[in-house]
Amino acid sequence: MEHRVVFDFAVEFTNGGGVQGQDFRLDMEGETISDQELADYIVADLRLLMVEKVTILNKFYIQEKHKREPVDPDNAKKLIDLSHTIFDGLITYKGLPAPVICDFLSRENSKAKYEEGTEFQIGKIEMVSNTGTYIDCPFHRYAHGKDLSEVSLAAFANLDGVTINAVGVMEIGVDYFKNKEIRNKAVIVRTDWSRHWNTDAYFENHPFINREAAEYLRDCGVKLVGIDSHNIDDTRGNNRPVHTVLLGAEILIVEHMCNLGALPEAGFLFSAVPPKFKGVGTFPVRAFATLA
């Protein structure tokens, strides 16, 4: 069923004056839309500047055939979350401790510190840096490599991305990357292994990239390589050639991603930004893609 929203609006400007609309109608993707989403859409669609306040009035919904492309609450840009949720007790890698997530200051205890009706929570997190969806910098592998604080912000954010489909493959070789436009790209390898996340199956016989493919990616000058698997390397042995090759060339690695099936082959921006820690080479990120 196609849905439309009917409403009045009033826009006030910081330099005085205003704009009003009555019985305004917009097509919607879903059955409801918030006042804030409508306000953002009006400002963007009418290309308004110096807006102080937008008031939505007399809003109601009707079922009626769409007249135009439905309103996208994300304002024409869709964000795709590619990260797992980190929770208390999560095992990301066997042999590493799970995070402990608790209150440092609970809301109940905060009541004694503030006036009546004012409460706060301050969380406490104890964890190893290899937890959840995380990014590896050169310092993770090399003592003199760049740590999180030394890698430029441009290396983490708004990278042109390409998706490589390697679903159903355990050892991902160089042929998966040949004849692809990958130079200066974030190369995101989709295996769909994330469907085993938080199960024993996730740790066994997982997909990985081999040394030849890593050397090819290095020689092609890619910016970052991500994978939705337990490790970008084969963990059945004690060597880690992919980490060695890529991090040695200052090519960042993102592991334990998810939701890669929602990505197109190309035409998106990839971001995975960690905190700016000194002396740390790995840390959880909120990896995401931005679709135009």
Side-chain angles (χ1 to χ4, degrees):
M1 183 63 65
E2 295 182 340
H3 296 271
R4 309 186 82 201
V5 59
V6 184
F7 60 99
D8 303 335
F9 69 87
V11 180
E12 301 173 34
F13 296 103
T14 58
N15 59 346
V19 174
Q20 293 81 38
Q22 288 80 41
D23 199 31
F24 210 73
R25 299 187 178 204
L26 285 176
D27 300 328
M28 301 185 305
E29 287 282 7
E31 297 183 7
T32 62
I33 188 168
S34 71
D35 288 359
Q36 184 61 55
E37 289 168 340
L38 284 177
D40 291 342
Y41 180 82
I42 289 168
V43 171
D45 199 50
L46 299 181
R47 299 185 179 183
L48 301 178
L49 300 175
M50 303 181 72
V51 173
E52 177 182 345
K53 182 180 180 182
V54 180
T55 304
I56 304 298
L57 304 164
N58 305 318
K59 183 176 71 175
F60 63 95
Y61 303 101
I62 60 174
Q63 294 179 351
E64 187 175 83
K65 185 176 178 60
H66 287 169
K67 304 294 192 298
R68 59 182 291 186
E69 193 71 21
V71 172
D72 181 356
D74 292 327
N75 291 328
K77 285 194 174 182
K78 185 175 182 181
L79 301 179
I80 299 179
D81 194 342
L82 306 175
S83 303
H84 289 290
T85 298
I86 297 173
F87 55 86
D88 183 72
L90 170 70
I91 299 295
T92 300
Y93 201 99
K94 278 190 175 181
L96 296 180
V100 177
I101 304 173
C102 58
D103 290 338
F104 175 78
L105 176 67
S106 69
R107 298 187 189 280
E108 185 63 29
N109 289 339
S110 78
K111 292 178 181 180
K113 298 179 178 290
Y114 304 101
E115 66 180 28
E116 186 176 354
T118 302
E119 301 173 10
F120 293 96
Q121 186 266 359
I122 298 177
K124 179 181 177 180
I125 303 172
E126 180 181 321
M127 68 179 188
V128 296
S129 58
N130 293 56
T131 298
T133 301
Y134 55 75
I135 195 163
D136 290 338
C137 296
F139 186 75
H140 177 53
R141 172 64 179 80
Y142 296 98
H144 300 292
K146 291 180 179 178
D147 64 20
L148 294 170
S149 70
E150 295 168 323
V151 176
S152 71
L153 186 59
F156 298 121
N158 293 331
L159 303 173
D160 287 329
V162 295
T163 306
I164 304 298
N165 190 333
V167 176
V169 180
M170 184 174 179
E171 181 173 346
I172 303 165
V174 66
D175 289 343
Y176 283 87
F177 305 100
K178 287 187 174 180
N179 301 315
K180 304 286 186 180
E181 182 58 53
I182 59 176
R183 182 169 295 276
N184 293 323
K185 307 285 188 181
V187 179
I188 309 302
V189 182
R190 175 190 171 190
T191 70
D192 285 353
W193 200 250
S194 57
R195 68 186 184 276
H196 298 303
W197 177 253
N198 200 33
T199 71
D200 288 339
Y202 187 72
F203 307 108
E204 305 296 334
N205 300 316
H206 64 84
F208 61 90
I209 295 174
N210 65 25
R211 176 189 288 274
E212 183 185 11
E215 291 172 345
Y216 183 80
L217 290 167
R218 176 199 63 196
D219 295 344
C220 285
V222 306
K223 294 291 188 182
L224 176 150
V225 182
I227 193 168
D228 57 350
S229 179
H230 173 53
N231 200 296
I232 203 167
D233 264 304
D234 184 357
T235 59
R236 293 173 296 182
N238 293 324
N239 60 335
R240 298 291 186 268
V242 180
H243 281 82
T244 298
V245 170
L246 296 183
L247 296 180
E250 297 193 352
I251 297 169
L252 306 181
I253 297 170
V254 181
E255 295 171 311
H256 308 285
M257 298 173 69
C258 63
N259 202 28
L260 298 190
L263 294 179
E265 290 185 7
F268 63 92
L269 298 178
F270 177 79
S271 299
V273 184
K276 197 174 181 179
F277 276 114
K278 185 69 178 174
V280 178
T282 298
F283 207 80
V285 291
R286 187 70 176 264
F288 64 92
T290 306
L291 305 187

